[in-house]
């Protein structure tokens, strides 16, 4: 079963003539293994403790110091604590999916890497391109947010040193922020020192932030018990905006949990990824959820929700009790939280660049590994300088919604990838044509299928895809010449599972689109929701009844974490993230579409023709090891 992916694509053995021209979009790469060492490796220096520091630091940002005030005032009221719990559970669904894929495919690139292995090159490119946008704008927005908080230590922005203060360029009405740019360059310098050094700095800053949050919880709790928790003694009750307001608050504070995916981006630098990655992701998310809920419980209890300051809810709550000195401690926590979040935003981006460059989709320049520090030094410098330039010249607060697109798209594709691995894991492996040349004594025993130069015989690829693989290459020694009944049943099971996963995604898309279409007539919305709901329910039931693939246990690196409650948990994850994606608004999607269009052009004119899979030939996974062993013995 040797296939030229340019014509037939990948997956369960081919598609048909309609796949002509689209093969590059669906070709899938192999999980990095001992056979795939074409590129330099990053230094494996991170432990589970380092991962927890990276995860907590990247997750706890301005959300807990600012967002809880707005959500409590306008959506949830005292029920903010439950909103945070629901959002934490929703984020946990994605964390389970990330944990399994990070264990199976422990290489740099995070969601881009998983999508390339499970879904295909086209979607992987969009995910990687979106993550680049997310990390760049996210880092610039966080850096810009540090300046006003840092200015509080100097008595206001007017008292900042001139070389750090914001200035308006005459005639251009552009507000430049030297402090934001300097902070990003400082973070870039830390990252250039090495992954262990930068993770240590992240842990120190995160520890200070957590200590400040514990101060808020303990001192605030003391004040609450002393005053009788006036925020809970309200006639409006615990749900002043009803249950719907509580869920609306959950959708907003969900974005406060974004950041744990930074842990998976360091998978290639973890000492024991199968053990440490699940521990790092789950522990970081649990710590963040508990701290968020405790801080929220204290703040909405100290002050009635409608009196909270939307900009500085925690500081104003303590000030109302005459504790002005606490403002400096809380401001320290806000600054350290933002700095840790900035470090967590800049850290993954060079690794995504590196992963895409390794696959040939970006210039090889981005994949160079520094011999001394064993990090992608060139990528780190380029991304740091670009983010610093953006933070210096541009107020990106209006672009903050674009950050969510990359994250939610990554969360969605990761959940789909888990379903694919469980039910229809890739059963073919890309082999370079040069490798077939080196093992040509093994493969050329067939009746002319492999030519003297190691290339595929002149079998029409289209007819090969339409007809049986076994008939086209009957003489090949690696091909089983008789299709058993079990193989036919397995082929039917894979086809059923593939279509069911596709219908599940379509049903979710219909339901979420109809639910978000406020402009649509009510009857049409209800009809579409009903149709999509039926499709979603039936697809989930079918997947629950269909047997999972037996080869899932050996796919990728074995021995790690397995996502529970499949297919229900990934399906819920896809549903939640798709709804949040569609609900981001037209203005956000218009901005994102411009970036996506640029990405499509880059892929069409560079990535598609430079991909490392451009001339790959696909063989059954069962025979890949035999080919590699034959190559090793041939070279010996």
């Amino acid at each position: 079963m040797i296939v030229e992916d340019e014509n037939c694509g990948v997956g369960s053995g081919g598609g048909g003539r309609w796949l002509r021209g689209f093969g590059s979009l669906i070709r899938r790469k192999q999980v990095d293994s001992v056979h795939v060492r074409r590129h330099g490796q990053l230094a494996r220096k991170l432990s589970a403790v380092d991962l927890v520091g990276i995860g907590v630091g990247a997750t706890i940002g301005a959300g807990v110091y600012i967002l809880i005030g707005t959500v409590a005032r306008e959506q949830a009221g005292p029920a903010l604590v439950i909103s945070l719990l629901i959002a934490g559970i929703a984020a946990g669904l994605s964390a389970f999916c990330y944990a399994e894929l990070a264990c199976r495919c422990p290489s740099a690139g995070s969601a881009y890497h998983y999508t390339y292995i499970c879904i295909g090159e086209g979607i992987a490119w969009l995910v990687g391109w979106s993550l680049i946008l997310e990390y760049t704008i996210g880092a610039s927005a966080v850096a810009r947010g540090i300046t006003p908080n840092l200015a509080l230590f100097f008595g206001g922005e007017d008292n900042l040193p001139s070389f750090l203060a914001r200035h308006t360029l005459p005639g251009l009405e552009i507000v430049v922020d030297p402090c934001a740019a300097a902070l990003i360059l400082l973070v870039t310098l830390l990252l250039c020192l090495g992954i262990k050094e930068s993770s240590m700095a992240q842990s120190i800053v995160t520890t200070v932030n957590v200590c400040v949050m514990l101060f808020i919880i303990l001192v605030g709790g003391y004040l609450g018990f002393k005053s009788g928790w006036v925020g809970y003694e309200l006639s409006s009750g615990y749900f002043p905006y009803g249950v719907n307001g509580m869920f609306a608050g959950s959708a907003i504070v969900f974005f406060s949990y974004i950041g744990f995916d930074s842990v998976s981006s360091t998978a290639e630098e973890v000492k024991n990824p199968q053990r440490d990655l699940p521990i790092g992701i789950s522990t970081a998310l649990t710590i963040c959820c508990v701290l968020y809920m405790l801080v929220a419980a204290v703040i909405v209890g100290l002050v009635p929700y409608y009196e909270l300051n939307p900009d500085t809810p925690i500081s104003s709550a303590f000030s109302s009790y005459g504790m002005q000195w606490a403002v400096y401690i809380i401001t320290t926590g806000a600054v350290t939280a933002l700095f840790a979040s900035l470090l967590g935003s800049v850290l993954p981006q060079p690794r995504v660049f590196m992963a895409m460059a390794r696959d040939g989709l970006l210039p090889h320049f981005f994949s160079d590994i520094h011999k001394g520090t064993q990090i992608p030094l060139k990528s780190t410098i380029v991304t740091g300088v670009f983010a610093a330039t953006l933070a210096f010249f541009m107020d990106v607060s209006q672009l903050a919604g674009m950050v969510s697109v990359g994250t939610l798209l990554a969360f969605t594709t990761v959940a789909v990838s888990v379903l694919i691995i469980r039910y229809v894991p890739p059963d073919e492996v890309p082999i370079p044509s040069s490798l077939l040349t080196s093992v040509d004594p093994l493969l050329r025993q067939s009746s002319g299928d492999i030519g003297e130069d190691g290339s595929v015989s002149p079998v029409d690829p289209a007819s090969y895809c339409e007809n049986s693989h076994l008939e086209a290459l009957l003489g090949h020694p690696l091909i089983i010449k008789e299709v058993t009944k079990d193989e036919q049943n397995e082929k039917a099971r894979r086809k059923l599972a593939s279509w069911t996963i596709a219908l599940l995604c379509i049903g979710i898309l219909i339901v979420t689109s109809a639910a978000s279409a406020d402009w649509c007539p009510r009857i049409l919305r209800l009809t579409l929701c009903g149709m999509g709901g039926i499709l979603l329910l039936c697809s989930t039931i079918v997947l629950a009844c269909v047997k999972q693939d037996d080869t899932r246990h050996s796919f990728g690196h074995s021995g790690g974490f397995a996502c529970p409650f499949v297919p229900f948990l990934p399906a819920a994850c896809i549903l939640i993230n798709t709804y949040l994606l569609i609900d981001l608004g037209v203005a956000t999607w218009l901005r994102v579409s411009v970036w996506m269009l640029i990405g499509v052009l880059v892929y069409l004119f560079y990535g598609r023709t430079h991909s490392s899979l451009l001339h790959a030939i696909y063989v059954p996974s069962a025979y890949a090891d035999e080919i590699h062993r034959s190559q090793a013995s041939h070279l010996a």
Side-chain angles (χ1 to χ4, degrees):
M1 195 189 304
I2 297 182
V3 186
E4 284 189 289
D5 87 293
E6 279 296 313
N7 297 290
C8 287
V10 295
S12 302
R17 291 184 186 275
W18 68 277
L19 286 181
R20 277 185 180 275
F22 295 95
S24 63
L25 298 178
I26 59 174
R27 56 192 177 196
R28 296 184 283 196
K29 71 173 184 177
Q30 182 184 7
V31 178
D32 286 350
S33 66
V34 292
H35 300 314
V36 187
R37 297 298 185 196
R38 297 184 304 273
H39 44 70
Q41 297 297 296
L42 302 178
R44 291 193 177 275
K45 295 183 178 180
L46 298 181
S47 64
V49 176
D50 296 321
L51 296 180
V52 172
I54 292 173
V56 174
T59 303
I60 297 180
V64 69
Y65 291 98
I66 299 174
L67 193 60
I68 60 173
T70 303
V71 175
R73 282 174 59 96
E74 300 177 4
Q75 276 87 22
L80 172 65
V81 180
I82 301 179
S83 295
L84 285 164
L85 176 61
I86 294 173
I89 293 173
L93 301 180
S94 295
F96 279 124
C97 297
Y98 264 94
E100 173 165 344
L101 291 174
C103 291
R104 291 183 182 272
C105 317
S107 294
S110 188
Y112 157 79
H113 180 63
Y114 313 145
T115 307
Y116 203 166
I117 291 170
C118 299
I119 299 178
E121 186 175 286
I123 301 299
W125 169 265
L126 292 180
V127 171
W129 195 249
S130 300
L131 288 175
I132 292 172
L133 176 70
E134 172 201 341
Y135 294 135
T136 303
I137 293 183
S140 302
V142 169
R144 280 246 172 182
I146 293 178
T147 303
N149 285 278
L150 197 62
L152 294 177
F153 292 109
F154 295 88
E157 291 193 48
D158 294 336
N159 296 324
L160 271 175
S162 58
F163 64 91
L164 293 178
R166 291 177 176 175
H167 302 280
T168 302
L169 297 180
L172 297 177
E173 299 300 325
I174 296 177
V175 179
V176 296
D177 193 335
C179 183
L183 286 169
I184 292 181
L185 293 177
L186 175 61
V187 167
T188 303
L189 177 61
L190 279 173
L191 293 174
C192 289
L193 296 178
I195 185 62
K196 190 65 178 179
E197 290 76 9
S198 57
S199 67
M200 185 179 299
Q202 175 80 304
S203 298
I204 293 172
V205 176
T206 301
T207 300
V208 175
N209 180 28
V210 171
C211 289
V212 171
M213 295 184 73
L214 292 176
F215 167 82
I216 295 169
I217 294 167
L218 295 175
V219 177
Y222 170 77
L223 293 175
F225 281 111
K226 187 177 179 180
S227 62
W229 297 107
V230 295
Y232 293 118
E233 300 295 332
L234 300 175
S235 59
S236 55
Y238 196 72
F239 298 91
Y241 297 99
V243 177
N244 289 336
M246 180 191 69
F247 281 107
S250 296
I252 296 174
V253 298
F254 172 82
F255 297 104
S256 298
Y257 290 96
I258 290 176
F260 66 84
D261 55 322
S262 297
V263 176
S264 64
S265 69
T266 63
E268 194 174 313
E269 296 158 285
V270 180
K271 296 177 182 177
N272 188 349
Q274 276 67 41
R275 184 198 67 184
D276 293 345
L277 282 169
I279 293 175
I281 292 174
S282 59
T283 304
L285 192 61
T286 301
I287 291 174
C288 293
C289 185
V290 172
L291 289 175
Y292 280 167
M293 292 175 63
L294 290 175
V295 170
V298 168
I299 297 306
V300 297
L302 288 177
V303 180
Y305 68 91
Y306 48 80
E307 293 183 5
L308 285 172
N309 187 316
D311 297 322
T312 56
I314 300 178
S315 299
S316 61
F318 277 82
S319 297
S320 65
Y321 284 83
M323 299 181 64
Q324 298 291 344
W325 56 270
V327 174
Y328 292 99
I329 298 178
I330 295 167
T331 302
T332 300
V335 171
T336 55
L338 289 168
F339 187 83
S341 181
L342 176 61
L343 194 56
S345 296
V346 179
L347 172 66
Q349 186 175 346
R351 284 146 182 83
V352 174
F353 266 126
M354 181 189 68
M356 298 175 76
R358 282 175 172 177
D359 298 326
L361 304 184
L362 288 176
H364 182 71
F365 168 87
F366 292 105
S367 65
D368 290 345
I369 306 296
H370 189 267
K371 293 182 180 180
T373 58
Q374 290 184 275
I375 64 165
L377 184 63
K378 295 179 181 178
S379 292
T380 302
I381 294 174
V382 169
T383 54
V385 171
F386 180 71
T389 304
L390 188 64
F392 181 78
F393 285 106
M394 187 176 182
D395 183 5
V396 293
S397 58
Q398 68 271 24
L399 306 179
M402 298 172 68
V403 174
S404 305
V405 173
T407 300
L408 293 174
L409 184 61
F411 284 6
T412 304
T413 55
V414 164
V416 174
S417 298
V418 169
L419 291 177
I420 291 174
I421 283 180
R422 292 300 188 91
Y423 291 97
V424 283
D427 58 354
E428 293 174 349
V429 174
I431 299 292
S433 56
S434 58
L435 179 59
L436 291 181
T437 304
S438 65
V439 295
D440 130 295
L442 170 69
L443 300 177
R444 216 175 21 196
Q445 300 172 22
S446 61
S447 55
D449 294 318
I450 304 295
E452 290 294 320
D453 59 351
S455 60
V456 177
S457 66
V459 177
D460 179 23
S463 64
Y464 170 77
C465 291
E466 291 176 345
N467 301 313
S468 170
H469 295 241
L470 304 175
E471 292 175 2
L473 296 174
L474 191 60
H476 199 284
L478 296 182
I479 300 300
I480 302 174
K481 296 181 175 61
E482 183 177 343
V483 181
T484 65
K485 187 175 181 180
D486 289 340
E487 289 173 328
Q488 291 178 339
N489 292 337
E490 175 63 13
K491 186 176 180 180
R493 185 204 63 78
R494 288 179 64 91
K495 182 177 292 187
L496 174 63
S498 299
W499 278 106
T500 305
I501 293 172
L503 292 175
L504 171 72
C505 296
I506 293 173
I508 289 175
L509 187 60
I510 294 174
V511 169
T512 53
S513 299
S516 300
D518 296 330
W519 51 270
C520 193
R522 182 179 178 84
I523 297 179
L524 180 59
R525 289 178 65 190
L526 291 176
T527 302
L528 291 175
C529 281
M531 292 172 56
I534 293 173
L535 194 58
L536 168 59
L537 181 62
C538 293
S539 300
T540 306
I541 293 173
V542 171
L543 282 179
C545 297
V546 171
K547 178 186 175 184
Q548 295 186 26
D549 197 284
D550 291 332
T551 63
R552 70 186 187 278
H553 300 295
S554 58
F555 183 82
H557 297 249
S558 59
F561 176 82
C563 179
F565 309 116
V566 176
F568 304 106
L569 190 150
C573 181
I574 298 170
L575 178 63
I576 293 170
N577 293 317
T578 304
Y579 175 76
L580 293 174
L581 262 175
I582 293 176
D583 206 41
L584 286 174
V586 177
T588 297
W589 277 107
L590 287 176
R591 297 189 187 105
V592 171
S593 62
V594 176
W595 176 255
M596 290 297 191
L597 178 60
I598 296 173
V600 169
L601 294 176
V602 172
Y603 175 74
L604 289 177
F605 291 102
Y606 184 88
R608 185 177 63 88
T609 56
H610 289 77
S611 171
S612 59
L613 299 182
L614 181 63
H615 301 295
I617 296 173
Y618 284 79
V619 301
S621 302
Y623 307 130
D625 289 339
E626 183 176 350
I627 292 176
H628 284 289
R629 283 195 300 270
S630 299
Q631 182 201 28
S633 61
H634 178 72
L635 293 176

